[in-house]
Amino acid sequence: MKIAFIGTGVMGHSMAGHLIDGGHDLVIYTRTRSKAESLLERGAVWGDTPAQASDGADIAIAIVGMPEDVEEVFLGEAGLLAAATPPSIIIDMTTSPPSLARRIAEVAAAKRVSSIDAPVSGGDVGAKNATLSIMVGGETPAVATAWPVLELMGKTIVHQGPAGAGQHTKMVNQILIAGGMLGMCEGLRYAEAAGLDGQKVIDSVGGGAAGSWSINNLGPRILNRDFEPGFFIEHFLKDLTIAFHEAEVMGLDLPALDMAKAFYERAVSEGLGRKGTQALQLLLEKTTEVEQA
Amino acid sequence: MKIAFIGTGVMGHSMAGHLIDGGHDLVIYTRTRSKAESLLERGAVWGDTPAQASDGADIAIAIVGMPEDVEEVFLGEAGLLAAATPPSIIIDMTTSPPSLARRIAEVAAAKRVSSIDAPVSGGDVGAKNATLSIMVGGETPAVATAWPVLELMGKTIVHQGPAGAGQHTKMVNQILIAGGMLGMCEGLRYAEAAGLDGQKVIDSVGGGAAGSWSINNLGPRILNRDFEPGFFIEHFLKDLTIAFHEAEVMGLDLPALDMAKAFYERAVSEGLGRKGTQALQLLLEKTTEVEQA
């Protein structure tokens, strides 16, 4: 297939590579052309705008940054839907608002284009190893057509429902992480204050009812004072903010989400936006004073 | 060895059974004698009080209910340490305050008795299958002596440090669960409000960075409206209250723990104390009103 691929950052670069390996013809647009260079060397073609890249493509895929980037890439003057011959399926793999996914789907439908929202989890490692979890929203025929392409990039692929359902599922993912992250950081803070050996604690608790991906993967990084990303705080805050607004629209009050969002807002304002999500620990350490070990 | 075993509730009953199977001579005391009957039929001997049960025993083990029960069983007039010939090692496997564990250890030391705190996680299933995680605090020689006995009941056994360190580790375990439970219930509440299929969502998120024991084990129960215990809310609240006070003594402010504790206090006041911890969902549903699905 001819596939337009927009956004070859850390995630997109690996994902686009899998599509080339899968035998597809890629046309690439990304903000900083140098980031696409090695893909161009592997046979991908350059497009000067999203519209140009997607012109005549069967499928156009984007994985970019903020909601406004998604809006521009899909709905902008030189966006995917502005192509002379738009692709029959457009797929947003960025984590962006469910409401935006529905809006894109409406605009697309008016042009007889199918829209799929397909945000991912699994990070750079999952993108590299094609083991991403892909949460899919959209109409069934388009999803069925896109499925073999998604399978080149992910391992756990679930069609969650109509337009927006993929993004909503990703929001659930982030809400789960937010609560778990609070528990993890507070638990390790307690362990430190109590004079425990953090790794031994993880050995005791990580395999049972308190076990989670976070405590077993990010817990040891915290113990090693490794606050590098993983997943940037500023991106996580973007996601939590989307979740917060969507919850608000639905009339939901989610206090742990609110608490996590407030913590990460403070983290960004204190210059920790480019640290990993586990750097929440640094804030918790600031707000608590240990009187006794 | 001659082992006194105090408390044959759901957990203790299975654990005592493993000790009989391991070839040890058990003397049992528990509040309601009928609950020990099948163990007595398997050769265990009855003791009328903890002191009587532990008289001349090599090791005395207790797993009872509230901190005041622990205090009475270990330090009371007819408690383990009041035996004519106290056992050389006493082990509290109840989840109880680290400060109480240290106090028991001091009283014991004055009588040349070694005290170990060894709370567990893994629930009734872990007790039944001898796959408990056992978090051990106490002096090394006593822990080494008790180790083969602990191994009959648990799979993951970690010596965390001196008296109280086992209980502190269990507190970390509960703090982790508290945060995770908040995230899980909020995530599933969001999923429901967004009109998603909860099980499909768990299929998407349960294996990745949002994955946890809670979402994969308690999540499906919530979706099936199964709020039976698992682990009683009233017991979890007891644990969170201990953690809260210990954190306070250490000068720690743990806001997610506080939030979870407040939720579970409300749950108990609304008559949900004998429901499983996942019934937090019922409270969250009450506090949020869905305007749009």
Side-chain angles (χ1 to χ4, degrees):
Chain A
M1 274 199 249
K2 188 179 172 191
I3 300 177
F5 200 100
I6 315 302
T8 55
V10 176
M11 301 287 293
H13 195 279
S14 296
M15 293 157 72
H18 297 310
L19 300 186
I20 294 173
D21 293 343
H24 295 289
D25 297 321
L26 255 63
V27 188
I28 291 178
Y29 169 80
T30 197
R31 204 151 44 189
T32 311
R33 180 168 170 152
S34 62
K35 290 191 177 171
E37 215 52 63
S38 71
L39 293 164
L40 298 175
E41 282 165 15
R42 289 163 65 188
V45 173
W46 179 254
D48 280 330
T49 64
Q52 200 188 92
S54 67
D55 196 40
D58 302 296
I59 293 180
I61 295 173
I63 179 160
V64 293
M66 304 298 286
E68 50 269 30
D69 302 324
V70 171
E71 208 165 336
E72 200 188 327
V73 163
F74 283 84
L75 304 174
E77 273 181 30
L80 296 175
L81 287 167
T85 318
S88 58
I89 300 174
I90 55 174
I91 307 177
D92 181 20
M93 302 190 77
T94 322
T95 296
S96 58
S99 52
L100 178 55
R102 286 194 299 268
R103 187 147 63 88
I104 291 171
E106 279 168 25
V107 175
K111 302 196 176 210
R112 299 181 178 278
V113 171
S114 296
S115 177
I116 293 173
D117 48 301
V120 302
S121 81
D124 50 350
V125 175
K128 196 173 170 189
N129 300 333
T131 56
L132 292 169
S133 171
I134 308 181
M135 297 156 250
V136 184
E139 299 307 320
T140 300
V143 169
T145 304
W147 204 264
V149 174
L150 298 177
E151 280 184 322
L152 293 171
M153 299 180 281
K155 197 177 65 173
T156 307
I157 310 173
V158 182
H159 184 195
Q160 294 289 347
Q167 296 294 355
H168 271 313
T169 302
K170 181 65 189 280
M171 291 301 114
V172 175
N173 191 81
Q174 304 305 67
I175 293 169
L176 291 171
I177 291 177
M181 201 70 73
L182 287 170
M184 175 178 70
C185 290
E186 293 194 3
L188 292 180
R189 183 77 181 114
Y190 179 105
E192 189 195 4
L196 298 172
D197 176 323
Q199 188 53 54
K200 282 188 184 173
V201 171
I202 294 174
D203 293 344
S204 269
V205 305
S212 67
W213 187 93
S214 294
I215 188 67
N216 290 311
N217 289 275
L218 299 180
R221 291 195 204 174
I222 291 175
L223 297 178
N224 294 329
R225 311 303 290 170
D226 171 5
F227 297 111
E228 294 311 303
F231 193 62
F232 286 125
I233 281 180
E234 62 186 24
H235 291 169
F236 193 50
L237 177 58
K238 178 201 76 171
D239 297 353
L240 295 186
T241 304
I242 294 171
F244 173 83
H245 287 302
E246 293 284 332
E248 209 172 28
V249 168
M250 296 190 286
L252 289 177
D253 176 31
L254 303 177
L257 168 63
D258 297 354
M259 183 186 286
K261 177 168 160 282
F263 264 116
Y264 282 113
E265 279 166 353
R266 243 186 63 209
V268 168
S269 77
E270 295 189 13
L272 298 171
R274 303 292 283 178
K275 294 293 179 187
T277 48
Q278 74 276 19
L280 170 61
Q281 191 73 15
L282 295 172
L283 289 186
L284 207 63
E285 289 172 1
K286 278 190 190 173
T287 59
T288 59
E289 188 190 319
V290 178
E291 288 162 8
Q292 159 190 331
Chain B
M1 275 199 247
K2 188 179 171 191
I3 300 178
F5 200 100
I6 315 301
T8 55
V10 176
M11 301 288 292
H13 195 279
S14 296
M15 293 158 72
H18 296 311
L19 300 185
I20 294 174
D21 293 343
H24 294 290
D25 299 321
L26 254 64
V27 188
I28 291 178
Y29 169 80
T30 197
R31 203 150 46 187
T32 310
R33 181 168 168 152
S34 62
K35 290 190 178 172
E37 215 52 63
S38 72
L39 294 165
L40 298 176
E41 281 165 15
R42 289 164 65 189
V45 172
W46 178 256
D48 281 329
T49 63
Q52 200 187 91
S54 67
D55 196 40
D58 301 297
I59 293 180
I61 294 172
I63 179 160
V64 293
M66 304 298 286
E68 50 269 30
D69 302 323
V70 172
E71 208 166 335
E72 199 189 326
V73 163
F74 282 84
L75 305 174
E77 274 180 29
L80 296 175
L81 288 168
T85 317
S88 58
I89 300 175
I90 55 174
I91 307 177
D92 182 19
M93 302 190 77
T94 322
T95 296
S96 57
S99 52
L100 177 55
R102 286 195 299 269
R103 188 147 63 86
I104 291 172
E106 279 170 24
V107 174
K111 302 195 178 214
R112 299 180 177 278
V113 171
S114 296
S115 177
I116 292 172
D117 49 301
V120 303
S121 81
D124 50 350
V125 175
K128 196 173 170 188
N129 299 333
T131 55
L132 293 169
S133 170
I134 308 181
M135 298 155 249
V136 184
E139 299 307 320
T140 299
V143 169
T145 304
W147 203 264
V149 174
L150 298 177
E151 280 183 322
L152 292 172
M153 299 180 281
K155 197 178 65 173
T156 307
I157 309 172
V158 182
H159 184 195
Q160 294 288 348
Q167 296 294 356
H168 270 314
T169 302
K170 181 65 189 280
M171 292 301 114
V172 175
N173 190 80
Q174 303 305 67
I175 293 168
L176 292 171
I177 290 176
M181 200 70 74
L182 288 169
M184 175 179 71
C185 290
E186 293 193 3
L188 291 180
R189 183 77 182 114
Y190 179 105
E192 189 196 3
L196 298 173
D197 176 322
Q199 188 53 54
K200 282 188 183 172
V201 171
I202 294 175
D203 293 345
S204 269
V205 305
S212 67
W213 186 93
S214 293
I215 188 66
N216 289 311
N217 288 275
L218 299 180
R221 292 195 204 174
I222 290 175
L223 298 178
N224 294 328
R225 310 303 290 169
D226 171 6
F227 297 110
E228 294 311 303
F231 193 63
F232 287 126
I233 282 180
E234 61 186 23
H235 292 169
F236 194 50
L237 177 57
K238 177 201 78 171
D239 297 354
L240 295 186
T241 304
I242 294 171
F244 174 83
H245 287 302
E246 294 283 333
E248 209 172 29
V249 167
M250 295 189 287
L252 289 178
D253 176 32
L254 303 177
L257 168 63
D258 297 354
M259 182 186 287
K261 176 168 161 280
F263 263 116
Y264 282 112
E265 280 165 352
R266 241 185 65 209
V268 168
S269 77
E270 294 189 12
L272 298 171
R274 303 291 284 178
K275 294 293 178 188
T277 48
Q278 74 274 20
L280 171 62
Q281 191 73 14
L282 295 171
L283 289 186
L284 207 64
E285 289 172 2
K286 278 190 190 174
T287 59
T288 60
E289 189 190 319
V290 178
E291 289 162 9
Q292 159 190 330

